[in-house]
Amino acid sequence: MIYTDDSAARDAGFRGLPLPPTFLFSLELANPPSGWREDLGIVTERILHGEQSFTYHRMAYAGDVLHFRTTIVDIYDKKNGALEFVVRETQVRNQDDEHVADLRSVLVQRNA
């Protein structure tokens, strides 16, 4: 209820509707940096979801303006190049420049 009912959220001690825990990942996917996959030669049909993790520093709320800063922190392969891994880390900050969360994801490309 706290994610959909403003009164319930406020009664629970929140300042408004909190964002659900993995919603930041959805927001990141909705507006990915243009062209990074193409720049790395990643073929959409050959990618797999490797892993993802979240580290939360403060609550984000409906109406917040969130800024995502993504960095590719590692690229490596396994099985003699049959699998290529791209590790991305994203820092999320709100409109007050407060650190909201860190997102980490690993994309895997199957190579021919």
Side-chain angles (χ1 to χ4, degrees):
M1 266 318 240
I2 63 167
Y3 300 114
T4 58
D5 183 319
D6 192 54
S7 295
R10 290 182 191 283
D11 289 346
F14 296 102
R15 67 171 171 86
L17 292 173
L19 296 184
T22 59
F23 193 69
L24 294 174
F25 181 70
S26 300
L27 290 177
E28 181 185 33
L29 289 176
N31 192 18
S34 61
W36 72 269
R37 288 181 180 167
E38 293 80 13
D39 291 346
L40 292 177
I42 294 173
V43 180
T44 303
E45 294 80 18
R46 292 192 276 160
I47 62 174
L48 303 167
H49 175 76
E51 70 178 69
Q52 76 188 72
S53 63
F54 309 89
T55 303
Y56 299 99
H57 303 284
R58 66 181 348 98
M59 187 64 68
Y61 295 92
D64 281 355
V65 177
L66 300 174
H67 305 276
F68 293 74
R69 181 173 168 221
T70 301
T71 305
I72 296 173
V73 296
D74 199 6
I75 299 174
Y76 59 93
D77 67 76
K78 289 187 177 182
K79 298 190 178 195
N80 294 320
L83 299 173
E84 186 173 18
F85 295 76
V86 178
V87 182
R88 297 175 2 133
E89 292 181 353
T90 301
Q91 185 181 84
V92 182
R93 300 186 84 80
N94 67 15
Q95 66 276 1
D96 298 321
D97 200 34
E98 297 170 322
H99 192 181
V100 172
D102 295 308
L103 316 178
R104 179 180 165 90
S105 64
V106 178
L107 178 143
V108 182
Q109 175 168 269
R110 296 173 288 117
N111 293 318

